[in-house]
Amino acid sequence: MTGSGAVPGNDVPEAAEPASEPPERNDPIAPPRGQWTPGAWTTRRWLTTGMSAAIALLAVLAVAGAWVFGRTTDVSDHLVGVSSPALVSAVRLESALLDQETGVRGYGLTGQTSFLDPYTDGVARERDAVTRIRTLLAHDHAALADLDRTLAAAETWQSRFARPIAAAPPGRPVAVASERADEAKRDFDAVRAGTTRLQRTLQAVQAHDRAELDHVHRLRNWIFSLIVLVVLVLVVMIFEGLRRGVTAPLTRLTDDLRQVADGDFDHEVTPSGPADMRALAADVDRMRARLARELRFSDTARKSLDAQAVDLQRSNAELEQFAYIASHDLQEPLRKVASFCQLLQRRYADQLDERAGQYIAFAVDGANRMQTLINDLLAFSRVGRVHGETAEVDLEEVFGRAEDALSLAIAETGAEVTHDPLPVLHGDATQLGMLMQNMLSNAIKFRSPDRPPKVHLSAWREDDHWAFACADNGIGIEPEFAERVFVIFQRLHTRDAYPGNGIGLALCKKVVEFHGGTIGIDPAHAPGARITFTLSEPAVPAVLEAARP
């Protein structure tokens, strides 16, 4: 039990003031180490810039690689699909012209038609070769010019010698072949020179294509070697950048945090790395510093609470002594005063006037009321402080005992007392008995003079507790006094009208609150009063448990 009273001759110190909140820091503070500032390079900015540069460089190299691939394909296609087939067709053209010359010369010397077969076949193959060459060399004007000159020389030879000889009748040698043999040879030598020149031109084109292809291959190899080298360098740079900018600062921050988590709250967190990492470390360090301050404040507050608990234990022990004195030593003089006043009245009744007898009666009544008041105060102080072990309590039996204790008042007033089926609760049987008895006593005491009292105790289950209501048809309680009636010694009527010390409902409130419930007045009930309260399993405060003798 806590209180502000004191045993005479023993001053009880007041409870220590609770520790105040840690003072707010209003002094200007310089920006903490690692504070992020606008324009500083954060991890995101480093990564964005680095990745953008790497992507741009790789894009340039990719474009160069695509170009070299395209160039390789173009040169290879030209070599395979143009210059080489054109050279082959030029060789076939030369072969076709040679077959024509051989066939015409043999037919002119012998007149045999069989010699015309190579000539006829050569003419057909010549047309095919020329068509193929013109198709392949459509954009090579130099080669086409050589082809045209060769064909012009061949046309001269064919018009002057080949076709006239081939048109001569068979069976005998053609005179033109022998007469103009030297001239025909010179004309065909011009044809050979033309085909040779065409082949050399096409060989030069083929050689140029091969050289270009070799050059493109070397360039391709250089570009792809550069790409591989750049990728390797980027991988190394990314790894090193992440190590320096992310993993190393995170490792240092983790080590610092583990040291703080292990209890070293005075260990400072060192900012490092990019701006956002430094800002994070600075924020964590400020949080650590604040936690350290809060812990120091908590230690101070705990020590203060421990000192208050010691003072409360000592105060409760002294109050226990006072309660013992009040229950024994203070009541004994009151009993003597009352007894001797009554003896004085009986022995000297014939010598005392009416006023003296009245004075003696006042003294005896005052002593009796003081004794009753002391007993009520002791009962009130013991609620929640001095009690037995809690156990299962049958409220039906408790209500029955309270009804039996008030049986005389019930019979004199003709009161009708009823109740709902009451539960079994875990609590203090003595205190619950005091609660029931005070509820019934108040309902009977403050009855209406116009009708006999009716009292009914209702009970119902609500969630994890039980709710009760004690309703009567008495004089009732005005709403403005709904809180006042639960304050100790607060009376709404004179002692002559209704006896008592004004402690009954205050005692009920203390018992209900000890059992984890609440109590109040139902203002809507009429006529009479309806007091509602709840009960659940009581929880003994730690300070009271420690102070229990």
Side-chain angles (χ1 to χ4, degrees), residues 200-417:
R200 286 176 181 174
T201 300
L202 293 179
Q203 287 173 354
V205 172
Q206 187 184 47
H208 177 270
D209 288 344
R210 287 178 178 174
E212 182 68 16
L213 184 61
D214 292 340
H215 173 70
V216 172
H217 282 168
R218 287 192 299 271
L219 183 60
R220 180 196 62 187
N221 295 336
W222 275 106
I223 290 177
F224 279 96
S225 298
L226 182 60
I227 291 175
V228 172
L229 180 61
V230 169
V231 169
L232 291 176
V233 171
L234 288 177
V235 169
V236 173
M237 291 178 63
I238 290 173
F239 176 80
E240 185 65 17
L242 290 176
R243 186 187 68 82
R244 292 188 178 185
V246 179
T247 58
L250 281 178
T251 301
R252 285 192 289 269
L253 179 60
T254 302
D255 294 339
D256 290 340
L257 291 180
R258 284 176 180 171
Q259 190 167 348
V260 173
D262 290 338
D264 187 5
F265 292 99
D266 294 327
H267 176 73
E268 293 187 2
V269 178
T270 304
S272 61
D276 51 349
M277 296 292 293
R278 295 197 302 272
L280 174 62
D283 291 339
V284 172
D285 189 65
R286 287 198 297 274
M287 181 176 63
R288 173 204 61 79
R290 181 170 181 177
L291 286 176
R293 291 195 301 270
E294 294 291 342
L295 285 174
R296 286 193 292 269
F297 170 73
S298 298
D299 290 341
T300 303
R302 180 178 55 79
K303 292 178 182 178
S304 176
L305 290 176
D306 290 343
Q308 290 183 24
V310 172
D311 290 341
L312 287 175
Q313 291 178 11
R314 182 171 58 83
S315 176
N316 285 335
E318 293 174 352
L319 288 176
E320 286 293 334
Q321 295 177 4
F322 172 76
Y324 179 80
I325 293 173
S327 62
H328 295 82
D329 299 345
L330 292 182
Q331 294 193 49
E332 183 60 27
L334 290 175
R335 283 193 294 269
K336 286 185 178 180
V337 169
S339 298
F340 281 100
C341 284
Q342 290 172 351
L343 288 174
L344 182 65
Q345 186 181 30
R346 286 196 297 269
R347 177 167 294 185
Y348 301 102
D350 53 346
Q351 301 178 15
L352 299 175
D353 58 8
E354 182 179 356
R355 184 175 294 276
Q358 187 178 11
Y359 289 163
I360 292 175
F362 285 159
V364 172
D365 181 64
N368 290 334
R369 284 193 291 109
M370 177 62 74
Q371 189 172 6
T372 303
L373 183 61
I374 290 174
N375 289 331
D376 288 344
L377 280 174
L378 289 174
F380 184 80
S381 66
R382 288 190 179 99
V383 175
R385 181 176 59 85
V386 180
H387 55 82
E389 295 295 331
T390 58
E392 297 293 332
V393 179
D394 188 351
L395 292 186
E396 291 277 359
E397 297 180 1
V398 172
F399 188 87
R401 288 196 296 268
E403 194 174 4
D404 291 342
L406 298 173
S407 59
L408 183 59
I410 293 173
E412 290 178 351
T413 59
E416 179 183 347
V417 180

Side-chain angles (χ1 to χ4, degrees), residues 139-158:
H139 301 289
D140 193 342
H141 301 292
L144 289 178
D146 290 340
L147 176 63
D148 290 339
R149 285 193 291 270
T150 301
L151 293 179
E155 177 61 25
T156 300
W157 172 76
Q158 288 176 347

Side-chain angles (χ1 to χ4, degrees), residues 72 90 117 152 160 217 233 323-324 357 362 414 419 434 440 449 460 479 503:
T72 302
D117 293 336
R160 295 179 61 185
H217 282 168
V233 171
Y324 179 80
F362 285 159
H419 65 86
M434 294 168 58
L440 294 180
W460 65 93
I503 201 172

